Every structure is written in C-alpha cells, then in structure tokens.
Amino acid sequence: MHSVGQAARKAASTLRRCDTGTKNAALLAMAEQLDQARQTVLAANARDMQRGRENGLDAALLDRLVLDDTRIDAMLEGLRQVTALPDPVGEIDGLQSRPSGIQVGKMRVPLGVIGIIYESRPNVTMEAASLCLKSGNACILRGGSEACDSNAAIGACIQAGLVDAGLAESSVQVVATTDRAAVGELISMPEFVDVIIPRGGKSLIERVSRDARVPVIKHLDGVCHVYIDATADKAKAMAIAVNAKTHRYGTCNTMETLLLDASIADDMLPALAAAYADHHVELRGCERTRAILPDVGVATEDDWHAEYLAPILAVKVVDGIDAAMVHIERYGSHHTDAIVTDHYGLARRFMAEVDSSSVIVNASTRFADGFEYGLGAEIGISTDKLHARGPVGLQGLTTQKYVVFGDGQVRQ
C-alpha cells in the first residue's frame, strides 16, 4: 500500500499540470477500452457472481454486483457525461483589487490523492475514476472482495485508456489485494493520501471514520423526513409524500419518517395510508397516528432512528413546525429533510433552522442527488460541514488557494 501511495502522489503532481483536453481524451479512451473489453468484463463479473452465490450473498447484494450490457452502456454514457462537464480546475473566483494595487482571488485546484473505499457495485470503479481524473486528482480505489474480478477488469480498461492519452497508469490504481488490512493502511497514510471517501454500508463508514488518519468525506445514515404543514396543498403533499418513500426504497435520500401537522392528520392520514397500501408499504405510527389508523403498527424509539432502506415508513403527528423541527434535530441524520407548505414564512424558517445538507421546500427528498442538482455526477453525499456538504461533484473534489496578481508592488 505504501508503494501504491507513493505512485499516486507522483501521479498527482503530473495531473495538476494536466489540461482539460488531455483529461477528456483520457476519459474517452477509457470508454473505448471498456467498450472493446465488454466480453472480458462480463466474464470477470460472471466469476464474481458465481462466487457470490456460493458464498450466500443475498439477492440485494447480487443485484448491485451484477453487470450486463445495459449497465456497461450506462458506464460508457457516464464517461461521456463527465467528459462534457466544465472543468473546475483553474477557475478564479472573487478577484478583487486592493488599495495597494494587488489583485486577490481564489483559484480552484485538485485535492491531490483521493482514496475511495466501496462495496459491491463494480460500476463505482469507473464512476470514481472518471470524477477524480476530471477534477485533476489521482485516486486509489479499493472495492469489495465480492467484486474483485470485475474491478480488476474495469481497472485494466481505465489504465489502458490513461496510457492511450499519455498519462501515467498510476493516476488511477485499483488495489489488487482483497485483504482487509489494505483498508487499514489506506486510511492511515496521510503522507500519500489527502482525502478518503467511503461508499458502502454503515459498518464500513463507521470503521473508516473511527480509524482514519486522513480527512474523510462521508455520510453515515439517510434518516430523511418530510413534514406536511397545515397550509400544504393536499394534492401536492400526497404526491410528494408518496414519491419520497416509494420511488426507490434502497437509497439514502428516501424518506424514512413522515411528519404531519395535527390539524390535518384526520383528513390526510387515511388517504396517505391507502396510497402506501397500494405500494405495499408497512406503516409504523405514534399513538396519535394509531388513533386515526388503528391497524398501523406501533412505532418504537428505534423506528424514529431507523434508516429502513425498505418499504417501511414511520409516521408521527406533531403540533406544528416547531415540534417537527425538534423531532428532525433529535432523530435526523442531517442528510435531507423537506417541508410541504404554502406559507412562505414557515418555508423560510424551515430552510434556515433545519441543519441538514439538503433542505427542500415543496419537492421530494429524492431530488437530493448530484445529477438532479446539475452537478452532472457525484462521488457521494456528505453530511459533514467541512470540506464538502451535500452531493459531492467535481467542485467538491477540489479546494481553493489564494492567488495574488501584482505589478511590482512592495508592502510599505
């Protein structure tokens, strides 16, 4: 791992000087290599799938692991989309003239070397490589052991594309070993690695956050809320509440707790329960919810903390926006929370006072996504406050340094 880190640090110094055209050429060459190696990649994935079935991986993990022509086409399209994105490196913001005559601004520059630790999904190998390369960073990718053959095959395509564009193979390195000790080394090499991004289950992210000696960009949970205010348009609220839960169950921006103002609970809860029943969503409610919907299960303390990632929803009746925000502050994960309201003042209060990486007014929590936010793509979502927050796109993989332009000035 130290050898990998040394090579990555050397490559990062080269990538800092790399122009946009060269980076784009490398991305397109990577796409061409992947397309040509399609059958090799699918054969490698078949080996991973067979091993996964023999090791008893559950259906959800196997679904994330499998590659087919459609998913490879999506990877190719992702590379083309990243190629088309504006390059943030070199942008200068806020240039101001000072009384001394100098001009001071901030230039956007790469972070350096990014270590990414992820599970199951081999397409992350290409996604992470493309975003790191476009933002001028070298990267070290450590995928899960269940996808080792797939990741190696995709990594070979990446490195062949880099060579085609005249860049060092070490600009993107896929860790070959499946030994868990490699993760411990990767997160403990601040001399070689500038940032760690874990993508996977809670246990992985907790371990990385606990043990890392390198700064980490991460989120632990996606305990997302929708609060329906007394002034909300009923049809709008119904559509948002149903979509936020049922659009996809296994994503971090899916609603896990629905909060309703007490004054509209009698009217809205039966209609919402019927809509969720159509989607086979199990409801677990507070006492006030169960007084209106007696067939609903009891919500325990654990339910308010739960990220179900499943067709289960906790429901609570609250006395207005203050009670809703108190609940969100106590049980939320600072990921994404939404309010449905026709009251401008309450919307502004919710935006100002709810301490989450995305706060949404009158729309589904499912919009908390880099593509939907216009970032083109994302490496993940951060609930940290330093250095990036919310969906992390190309700008989130860069930092800024002060630049000063002068014409012979000396300080008096």
Side-chain angles (χ1 to χ4, degrees):
M1 291 305 295
H2 279 230
S3 175
V4 168
Q6 288 171 339
R9 179 62 75 199
K10 184 177 179 181
S13 65
T14 301
L15 288 172
R16 277 199 301 272
R17 304 191 298 270
C18 193
D19 60 56
T20 303
T22 302
K23 291 186 287 188
N24 286 344
L27 292 171
L28 294 175
M30 287 156 51
E32 184 176 350
Q33 290 287 343
L34 176 61
D35 200 19
Q36 291 175 357
R38 185 183 293 256
Q39 295 310 313
T40 301
V41 171
L42 291 176
N45 183 250
R47 294 193 295 274
D48 286 331
M49 291 293 292
Q50 179 62 30
R51 189 168 53 249
R53 285 188 286 266
E54 291 171 354
N55 292 338
L57 287 186
D58 63 36
L61 282 174
L62 288 172
D63 179 65
R64 289 198 285 272
L65 177 59
V66 69
L67 291 176
D68 55 22
D69 281 318
T70 300
R71 290 190 175 182
I72 289 180
D73 287 341
M75 292 163 66
L76 296 172
E77 178 58 26
L79 283 165
R80 288 189 282 267
Q81 288 178 0
V82 173
T83 301
L85 292 174
D87 186 348
V89 177
E91 290 178 355
I92 297 178
D93 298 328
L95 196 63
Q96 296 183 13
S97 295
R98 304 297 302 147
S100 62
I102 63 171
Q103 291 184 301
V104 181
K106 287 184 175 182
M107 176 183 284
R108 197 160 288 282
V109 295
L111 292 171
V113 177
I114 300 176
I116 302 177
I117 304 164
Y118 54 103
E119 299 171 333
S120 299
R121 295 171 54 220
N123 55 317
V124 171
T125 303
M126 190 62 83
E127 290 175 3
S130 64
L131 289 168
C132 289
L133 181 64
K134 183 67 181 255
S135 54
N137 296 287
C139 63
I140 302 171
L141 308 178
R142 205 285 188 179
S145 59
E146 68 280 358
C148 60
D149 285 359
S150 303
N151 290 334
I154 294 169
C157 298
I158 292 169
Q159 294 195 322
L162 290 167
V163 171
D164 288 346
L167 296 176
E169 290 181 336
S170 52
S171 300
V172 179
Q173 296 177 85
V174 177
V175 176
T177 179
T178 58
D179 192 327
R180 289 173 60 85
V183 173
E185 290 297 322
L186 180 59
I187 65 178
S188 304
M189 304 192 305
E191 66 273 33
F192 302 128
V193 181
D194 296 291
V195 174
I196 293 288
I197 302 176
R199 293 184 58 170
K202 187 175 181 179
S203 61
L204 167 69
I205 298 171
E206 284 180 331
R207 181 208 170 180
V208 170
S209 302
R210 181 184 65 245
D211 297 341
R213 293 177 53 222
V214 178
V216 178
I217 297 175
K218 51 86 176 60
H219 79 271
L220 280 174
D221 298 297
V223 184
C224 302
H225 300 77
V226 173
Y227 166 57
I228 302 177
D229 173 57
T231 67
D233 176 84
K234 183 177 179 179
K236 189 186 300 179
M238 285 284 297
I240 290 169
V242 171
N243 178 265
K245 183 61 201 179
T246 66
H247 184 254
R248 281 186 66 188
Y249 296 116
T251 57
C252 59
N253 56 14
T254 296
M255 173 182 63
E256 303 291 17
T257 298
L258 175 65
L259 305 172
L260 289 96
D261 189 279
S263 65
I264 59 171
D266 286 322
D267 180 41
M268 286 208 66
L269 272 177
L272 282 165
Y276 287 128
D278 289 341
H279 291 275
H280 308 288
V281 174
E282 175 191 344
L283 301 183
R284 300 177 184 176
C286 66
E287 289 184 8
R288 296 165 83 177
T289 299
R290 297 184 72 247
I292 300 167
L293 303 173
D295 295 333
V296 167
V298 177
T300 67
E301 182 73 7
D302 288 343
D303 286 301
W304 307 127
H305 291 283
E307 183 183 24
Y308 297 114
L309 301 175
I312 306 170
L313 178 66
V315 183
K316 186 173 186 178
V317 176
V318 296
D319 294 316
I321 189 172
D322 289 290
M325 292 193 296
V326 166
H327 181 97
I328 291 169
E329 179 64 25
R330 178 175 178 181
Y331 296 106
S333 60
H334 307 289
H335 190 295
T336 302
D337 297 290
I339 184 174
V340 187
T341 182
D342 280 350
H343 191 292
Y344 176 79
L346 294 182
R348 293 287 297 180
R349 275 198 64 198
F350 194 86
M351 282 193 290
E353 297 177 34
V354 172
D355 185 24
S356 297
S357 67
S358 287
V359 180
I360 296 176
V361 176
N362 292 333
S364 171
T365 58
R366 287 285 292 127
F367 282 106
D369 172 83
F371 181 79
E372 295 291 343
Y373 283 6
L375 305 182
E378 68 177 41
I379 200 79
I381 290 179
S382 169
T383 54
D384 295 327
K385 297 184 180 179
L386 302 172
H387 119 100
R389 198 177 193 196
V392 180
L394 292 176
Q395 282 208 344
L397 297 178
T398 62
T399 185
Q400 289 182 304
K401 64 182 179 184
Y402 279 99
V403 292
V404 178
F405 297 93
D407 186 27
Q409 289 87 351
V410 295
R411 187 166 178 178
Q412 302 299 319

